[in-house]
Amino acid sequence: MSQEAKSHPGSQKKLTLAIGGMSCASCVSRIERALSGMAGVSEARVNLATEKASIMFDPSTVHPKEFVNKIEDLGYKVDLVEESFVVRGMSCASCVRRVERALESLEGVLEVSVNLATERASIRYLRGAVSAQEITEAVRSAGYEIVFYESTEEEEIIDRERKAREEELRRLKIKFGVGLTLAVPIFLLAYWEELGLGGLLPLSRAWNFIVQLGLQTPIQFWVGWQFYMGAWKSAKHRSADMNTLIAVGTSAAYLYSILATFFPGIFEARGLVTAVYFDTAAAIIVLILLGRLLEARAKGQTSEAIRKLVGLQPKTARVLKEGIEVDVPISDVKMGDLVVVRPGERIPVDGVVIEGRSTVDESMITGEPLPVEKTKGNEVIGGTINRTGSFIFEATKVGKDTLLAQIVRMVQEAQGTKPPIARMADVIASYFVPTVIGIALITFAVWFLAGPEPSFNYALLNFVSVLIVACPCALGLATPTSIMVGTGKGAEYGILIRSGEALETAHRMKVIVMDKTGTLTKGQPSVTDIIPVGQRDVKDILLYAASAERNSEHPLGEAVVRKAKEENLELLPVNDFVAIEGKGIRGKVDGKELLVGNMALLRERGIPIDFPEETLGGLSSQGKSSMFVAIDGELAGIIAVADTLKESSREAVQYLREMGIEIVMVTGDNRRTAEAVAREAGIQRVIAEVLPQNKAREVKRLQSEGLVVGMVGDGINDAPALAQADVGIAIGTGTDVAIESADIVLMSGDLRGVVTAISLSRATIRNIKQNLFWAFAYNVILIPVAAGALFPFMGILLNPVFAAAAMGLSSVTVVSNALRLRRFRPARI
């Protein structure tokens, strides 16, 4: 797709978009009208032949993203690219904002999200608008390094990232070790006389300072070099970040100490006390490196869920080639290949069983603990474990198309997105460092001009303390670490959360709208009652009815046949089978004339229906369909059939209500059936006889009441309502369209997954708020303390060494708190 964005007189720009899904002139006029009516648009032209739209607009009034949203809202597609890559060298939230701004400045880029915890950036842009070279230059111009992975194998990418993380840990360990080794003697020298070491080895004050300088210099410029590099990159872009604070603070202490070592007269002539702070600068650098080391180690654990998911796929598959079993790499498996799986092995790719029988543990994908029986025609999922028998299946999805690969991709995309609460923290962090530098300069000036003697020493130490105690990295890590752990934990329980925004919104839901068929119910009719007439045997009624219905394609007939198979009944042959449209079936079974159908069929044949009205009314009020079975001209019994509730539905509804969430059932069924199902499920509010296209309207009506609305569905007809809802939750056993329209996907059909998703959302948002509280609390409390706010009242000043320890501790606290989410367990009802 080509995209142009040219400047025009009057601050106008021209944008060309490729649009898919147009079929006629009415599509063209519809899009043109919608675009022309937008604020800031002076002209919009759509060409059906080229499938492109040309828009003249004022970029100060409207963003290209709004055009894309408008076109997609109309039901058409704009050709977009979503890409992610690694950004190296970020250290705090202000780094995140700088990278985001650099990428957002590129023409055609619609969305950018940079994650400090994963070091990944995700961008969404118009195809053809931006090249990889432009993206690389934008990131590098911001002062950071970018890594595009040529391999498309997720496991290889994650393995490279793990190795890069291990290399970073190794580097930090070496630098920390060297720094600590040199810092210990500096501290001994700083307190040489106080420790009584002067008697063992006399050392003049001047030589003591010189030896400290010799030990501190490699700490300052080798161990702490990364802080200088980061500060320099920021300075080149007229910006500042955490590295700036550390570099300025330690350099101030270091340079003052050099002057005090070699030119003490400068200070003594002004009546100032000469002292060196090599120990302070050393401690700050070493302690911050220790914080970085602990933080890097903890951050490595946040991506554990992704590593577990990727590790589920085996490296090889056993494929049948000309009747011979051959082990091949998983990447060589193609659609249509026949794959052999033995007991205890992982299923390599998705497929359909064509031979054999087994039970499969799908818990790692769906979260369901019980093994699932697999026979001919059943689907199997790559990464799941074959438990008992052997079978052969035909590969239907391989590589990036397998369900496991899609799950990994969805989890990673969610981890790369930001909820609104995170964007607020990023904006605050972008102003944070300049504000801290300003506070530090004011602190220095106040102490130097109005502080007690030696005022310069006090001013310098408090200046350094303010710079060092400030912690923008804790602000940057507060949200992404929790989002990473939360979405990863959801994947473990078969809950795929597509975005950080969905994760945040889910905890605010007040109403959940549920579709009936396939969501609350099993989605297929089942036999619920068999009521005999007189002395007839229940099993005989079922046997004869199922034998007659075995050739029927009607869902009610299929339900009867299924029930007979569940009871292990051997069906009898049927002769003279005739389907009577709208009424039932007729046939001969075991020499007996059989009729199975509705009341109208029996009355037409003159068969009396001697059955209590209250029994028939009771079945009807419960939403059950009655099938009358007549044998040789006499009523033998009634078989009641209904789309029954899933085993988990009542429990899920009960638990959601206890959580303070109102449940509304929306269905196209008649009111009597709908109310019967709702009553059984414990739902009090029912909207029945709703056309599929009107489900979204019902969701919108609830939203107009000021409610945050969730929608749970599984069918194509639920897709508009899922998209309209604040949070769309799709049953993973449903259609692809419904799943694509949803914000959260439950891999199993168990509605208790909705309870788990909301509980996880609440736990994650609670964790994020705790992290933000700690991050802000450290800064709000300790910056004034470092500036000396307590000195006039309590005589307390914050030593820069303790400031460095507090700063490092704040980041470790935030990441460690996020890791507590790994202990999340779903409620068992």
Side-chain angles (χ1 to χ4, degrees), residues 327-644:
D327 285 342
V328 300
I330 195 75
S331 56
D332 290 349
V333 179
K334 296 177 176 60
M335 284 176 60
D337 281 351
L338 300 182
V339 184
V340 181
V341 184
R342 292 172 183 162
E345 294 181 340
R346 284 196 185 275
I347 297 167
V349 294
D350 297 359
V352 176
V353 177
I354 61 170
E355 184 182 315
R357 188 186 194 97
S358 184
T359 56
V360 175
D361 180 359
E362 297 182 342
S363 59
M364 62 286 299
I365 301 292
T366 65
E368 290 293 310
L370 295 177
V372 182
E373 189 172 342
K374 300 291 182 182
T375 58
K376 185 177 179 180
N378 291 146
E379 293 183 351
V380 289
I381 303 169
T384 56
I385 301 172
N386 180 34
R387 286 296 183 200
T388 51
S390 297
F391 60 87
I392 299 171
F393 74 92
E394 180 183 345
T396 56
K397 289 182 180 177
V398 297
K400 284 184 171 282
D401 295 326
T402 64
L403 181 61
L404 180 60
Q406 290 176 47
I407 290 171
V408 170
R409 192 158 58 246
M410 285 168 68
V411 174
Q412 284 183 326
E413 285 172 2
Q415 290 181 345
T417 61
K418 293 180 181 179
I421 195 172
R423 298 199 177 276
M424 177 195 71
D426 284 352
V427 170
I428 293 170
S430 66
Y431 296 103
F432 184 84
V433 174
T435 303
V436 169
I437 292 174
I439 293 170
L441 291 170
I442 292 169
T443 299
F444 182 88
V446 170
W447 278 93
F448 183 67
L449 297 172
E453 292 298 333
S455 62
F456 182 85
N457 299 54
Y458 278 120
L460 178 66
L461 288 175
N462 292 331
F463 170 76
V464 173
S465 290
V466 170
L467 291 176
I468 299 304
V469 82
C471 191
C473 49
L475 283 173
L477 292 168
T479 302
T481 46
S482 297
I483 292 290
M484 283 184 69
V485 179
T487 50
K489 202 67 191 173
E492 284 183 32
Y493 291 108
I495 298 163
L496 302 184
I497 300 163
R498 286 176 172 263
S499 68
E501 188 170 355
L503 187 64
E504 179 177 347
T505 308
H507 90 286
R508 296 190 289 113
M509 285 192 296
K510 295 299 180 187
V511 176
I512 292 182
V513 176
M514 288 190 180
D515 174 50
K516 179 181 79 70
T517 306
T519 301
L520 283 161
T521 66
K522 292 176 180 176
Q524 62 179 20
S526 304
V527 173
T528 59
D529 306 87
I530 302 175
I531 306 169
V533 172
Q535 300 301 311
R536 294 279 186 178
D537 183 71
V538 169
K539 284 202 172 179
D540 278 351
I541 296 170
L542 178 60
L543 174 64
Y544 280 106
S547 298
E549 291 279 11
R550 70 193 307 177
N551 294 329
S552 172
E553 295 180 355
H554 195 282
L556 299 184
E558 290 174 354
V560 174
V561 174
R562 246 189 335 267
K563 179 67 174 176
K565 287 181 178 178
E566 288 171 11
E567 297 289 336
N568 296 316
L569 298 179
E570 197 70 43
L571 299 186
L572 303 170
V574 59
N575 298 311
D576 302 332
F577 176 85
V578 177
I580 304 165
E581 189 176 350
K583 294 178 181 176
I585 57 111
R586 173 173 63 80
K588 280 191 175 180
V589 176
D590 196 22
K592 294 180 171 63
E593 187 76 31
L594 221 73
L595 286 173
V596 182
N598 57 23
M599 191 180 292
L601 176 63
L602 268 65
R603 282 179 175 162
E604 185 184 277
R605 300 302 167 107
I607 299 171
I609 301 172
D610 299 325
F611 219 85
E613 281 293 328
E614 60 270 20
T615 303
L616 291 174
L619 293 173
S620 180
S621 67
Q622 294 171 44
K624 297 175 181 178
S625 300
S626 297
M627 299 173 67
F628 295 86
V629 182
I631 301 175
D632 286 337
E634 290 184 0
L635 181 63
I638 293 177
I639 298 176
V641 178
D643 183 6
T644 56

Side-chain angles (χ1 to χ4, degrees), residues 301-303 305 415 479-492 760 764 767 815 818-823:
Q301 298 173 40
T302 59
S303 56
Q415 290 181 345
T479 302
T481 46
S482 297
I483 292 290
M484 283 184 69
V485 179
T487 50
K489 202 67 191 173
E492 284 183 32
L760 180 61
T764 304
N767 192 272
V815 177
L819 290 174
R820 288 192 312 111
L821 271 175
R822 292 164 63 191
R823 298 204 295 266

Side-chain angles (χ1 to χ4, degrees), residues 29-219:
S29 61
R30 189 179 176 205
I31 296 171
E32 281 185 349
R33 276 198 309 272
L35 294 174
S36 299
M38 294 178 70
V41 174
S42 58
E43 185 181 31
R45 291 282 180 267
V46 179
N47 188 314
L48 181 60
T50 61
E51 294 190 318
K52 287 183 179 178
S54 297
I55 308 164
M56 292 279 288
F57 69 102
D58 179 359
S60 64
T61 306
V62 61
H63 191 276
K65 182 181 176 180
E66 295 175 55
F67 302 142
V68 175
N69 292 339
K70 176 66 74 175
I71 292 167
E72 289 181 344
D73 286 343
L74 293 172
Y76 304 96
K77 284 288 182 186
V78 178
D79 196 2
L80 302 175
V81 179
E82 291 187 21
E83 195 161 7
S84 65
F85 43 85
V86 173
V87 178
R88 303 274 187 226
M90 296 187 297
S91 59
C92 64
S94 54
C95 300
V96 170
R97 286 296 301 148
R98 194 178 308 131
V99 175
E100 285 181 340
R101 280 197 296 266
L103 292 170
E104 284 167 351
S105 68
L106 296 173
E107 292 284 3
V109 171
L110 305 178
E111 258 180 278
V112 178
S113 181
V114 179
N115 190 314
L116 178 62
T118 61
E119 295 188 317
R120 278 201 181 198
S122 300
I123 64 170
R124 193 164 171 251
Y125 60 91
L126 302 167
R127 187 180 297 280
V130 186
S131 66
Q133 182 62 32
E134 288 174 307
I135 293 170
T136 302
E137 286 174 4
V139 173
R140 285 182 178 164
S141 68
Y144 305 93
E145 285 302 311
I146 185 172
V147 181
F148 282 101
Y149 289 127
E150 292 180 9
S151 169
T152 56
E153 292 297 324
E154 197 60 47
E155 188 168 6
E156 189 176 331
I157 291 173
I158 288 174
D159 191 49
R160 285 190 187 183
E161 289 182 354
R162 179 182 55 79
K163 286 178 179 174
R165 208 161 25 241
E166 287 174 353
E167 177 60 29
E168 174 69 6
L169 267 174
R170 189 185 69 81
R171 188 181 65 80
L172 286 171
K173 283 177 183 176
I174 292 171
K175 288 204 166 190
F176 173 71
V178 172
L180 184 62
T181 303
L182 294 173
V184 169
I186 291 175
F187 267 86
L188 291 175
L189 288 164
Y191 300 97
W192 194 253
E193 297 299 332
E194 290 86 339
L195 293 171
L197 297 174
L200 296 173
L201 181 63
L203 197 63
S204 70
R205 181 181 173 87
W207 274 108
N208 183 309
F209 290 176
I210 290 170
V211 174
Q212 285 189 53
L213 171 62
L215 293 168
Q216 171 57 19
T217 299
I219 295 178

Side-chain angles (χ1 to χ4, degrees), residues 565-754:
K565 287 181 178 178
E566 288 171 11
E567 297 289 336
N568 296 316
L569 298 179
E570 197 70 43
L571 299 186
L572 303 170
V574 59
N575 298 311
D576 302 332
F577 176 85
V578 177
I580 304 165
E581 189 176 350
K583 294 178 181 176
I585 57 111
R586 173 173 63 80
K588 280 191 175 180
V589 176
D590 196 22
K592 294 180 171 63
E593 187 76 31
L594 221 73
L595 286 173
V596 182
N598 57 23
M599 191 180 292
L601 176 63
L602 268 65
R603 282 179 175 162
E604 185 184 277
R605 300 302 167 107
I607 299 171
I609 301 172
D610 299 325
F611 219 85
E613 281 293 328
E614 60 270 20
T615 303
L616 291 174
L619 293 173
S620 180
S621 67
Q622 294 171 44
K624 297 175 181 178
S625 300
S626 297
M627 299 173 67
F628 295 86
V629 182
I631 301 175
D632 286 337
E634 290 184 0
L635 181 63
I638 293 177
I639 298 176
V641 178
D643 183 6
T644 56
L645 276 182
K646 293 175 182 175
E647 290 79 4
S648 61
S649 294
R650 175 179 280 278
E651 291 176 300
V653 168
Q654 177 190 336
Y655 207 89
L656 287 167
R657 288 176 63 184
E658 289 175 7
M659 294 170 79
I661 297 170
E662 182 186 2
I663 309 299
V664 179
M665 189 179 84
V666 175
T667 178
D669 272 0
N670 65 73
R671 178 156 293 278
R672 174 179 278 188
T673 302
E675 287 181 346
V677 172
R679 195 162 48 246
E680 190 181 350
I683 297 172
Q684 295 173 331
R685 190 169 174 182
V686 179
I687 304 174
E689 299 171 8
V690 177
L691 294 174
Q693 62 267 33
N694 292 338
K695 287 184 179 180
R697 190 177 64 190
E698 293 297 335
V699 171
K700 198 169 185 177
R701 188 170 58 79
L702 289 166
Q703 288 171 324
S704 68
E705 297 174 21
L707 301 168
V708 177
V709 181
M711 169 72 194
V712 186
D714 74 323
I716 291 173
N717 60 357
D718 297 323
L722 289 168
Q724 174 63 45
D726 296 290
V727 180
I729 303 173
I731 303 293
T733 51
T735 64
D736 290 343
V737 176
I739 291 169
E740 284 300 317
S741 304
D743 303 299
I744 297 174
V745 180
L746 309 180
M747 296 310 299
S748 72
D750 193 331
L751 269 183
R752 285 174 294 194
V754 178

